[in-house]
Amino acid sequence: MRRFVADLHVHSLLSPCAAVEMTPRNIIWHATRNGIDIVAIADHNSGANIRAAQEAARNMAVTVLPAMEVETKEEVHLLTLFNNLNELLAWEAIVKAHLPEKVNNADKFGGQFVVDAEDNLVAIEERLLLTSSSLGVKDVANKVAELGGLCIASHVDRPSYSIVSQLGFIPPDVNLAALELSSLLKRDAMLNKFPDLKKWPLIMSSDAHAIDRFINGPKTVFWLEYPNLAEIKKALAEGRISWLQA
């Protein structure tokens, strides 16, 4: 068993709110040089840059987990993580079927770029990704579990787009593997302000939309046999985690 530094919430330039420097290749390059062992590319409502990220990480000491940050009908952001690309693609098809048929306004929200492992532009996603789906929180968590993945509630301490801000509480029957904290507050202040969080496994991630944030933002340290989702799930359940805060 060894120590792995993980960032389970990183946006690529497919997310309209992310900087164009957030290409899969650039993310992996900086991960290798900053001791980040596991990266989950979690773009808004899409996984179109996952394949490029995994190809960019080939022969590198970085594991890329297929992921997506889904916005539910309650405007709750949930991290959804999977074992492999096939699971993610199956999930992506479900999410797309529940997104509104709206066109992205690049001038207002930013561009949505799909690239290859060499940073070459493959496509511009025209459909608006920065929007809520018609899937509820429980729908997302249950379907992700059926597909073999795990669900983590994003930045639960933030005043918007979190399960706490939108619902007012964390339903005990939602199939969540963990809760993610942002870096708004330090650990003790977070737990004092949100005492109910102590009931759940807690992770920290950068939620990076730019490289500086990816490098310097908070991370979670896992003690794992292997850098894969099954081991992460066990580590969360067994408390084999700690935080690296900025």
Side-chain angles (χ1 to χ4, degrees), residues 53-71:
Q54 291 187 327
E55 290 178 0
R58 191 172 296 158
N59 301 320
M60 306 287 275
V62 178
T63 297
V64 175
L65 295 178
M68 184 189 302
E69 186 174 31
V70 176
E71 185 174 330

Side-chain angles (χ1 to χ4, degrees), residues 4-141:
F4 291 88
V5 176
D7 194 335
L8 300 184
H9 190 173
V10 180
H11 292 270
S12 82
L13 73 172
L14 175 60
S15 292
C17 45
V20 292
E21 66 181 354
M22 295 298 283
T23 65
R25 184 184 184 193
N26 203 26
I27 292 168
I28 300 306
W29 189 90
H30 283 281
T32 61
R33 282 150 182 79
N34 290 277
I36 304 170
D37 306 296
I38 302 171
V39 176
I41 306 293
D43 285 310
H44 291 288
N45 293 323
S46 179
N49 275 340
I50 302 298
R51 189 186 303 276
Q54 291 187 327
E55 290 178 0
R58 191 172 296 158
N59 301 320
M60 306 287 275
V62 178
T63 297
V64 175
L65 295 178
M68 184 189 302
E69 186 174 31
V70 176
E71 185 174 330
T72 73
K73 66 182 180 183
E74 303 94 345
E75 296 187 339
V76 172
H77 285 189
L78 298 175
L79 290 172
T80 61
L81 299 98
F82 297 92
N83 296 285
N84 55 58
L85 189 58
N86 287 338
E87 289 179 359
L88 185 278
L89 292 175
W91 174 234
E92 183 177 46
I94 294 168
V95 172
K96 281 187 174 181
H98 288 83
L99 290 178
E101 293 289 346
K102 296 180 180 179
V103 176
N104 181 46
N105 183 337
D107 292 333
K108 181 177 181 180
F109 300 112
Q112 302 177 154
F113 304 107
V114 180
V115 298
D116 64 18
E118 299 298 324
D119 289 354
N120 298 306
L121 181 65
V122 172
I124 296 176
E125 175 58 63
E126 299 293 345
R127 190 174 191 173
L128 178 64
L129 298 177
L130 200 62
T131 187
S132 57
S133 69
S134 60
L135 294 165
V137 169
K138 291 182 181 180
D139 298 327
V140 170

Side-chain angles (χ1 to χ4, degrees), residues 151-164:
C151 191
I152 297 173
S154 303
H155 40 67
V156 296
D157 53 327
R158 287 188 182 169
S160 60
Y161 297 113
S162 78
I163 195 167
V164 174

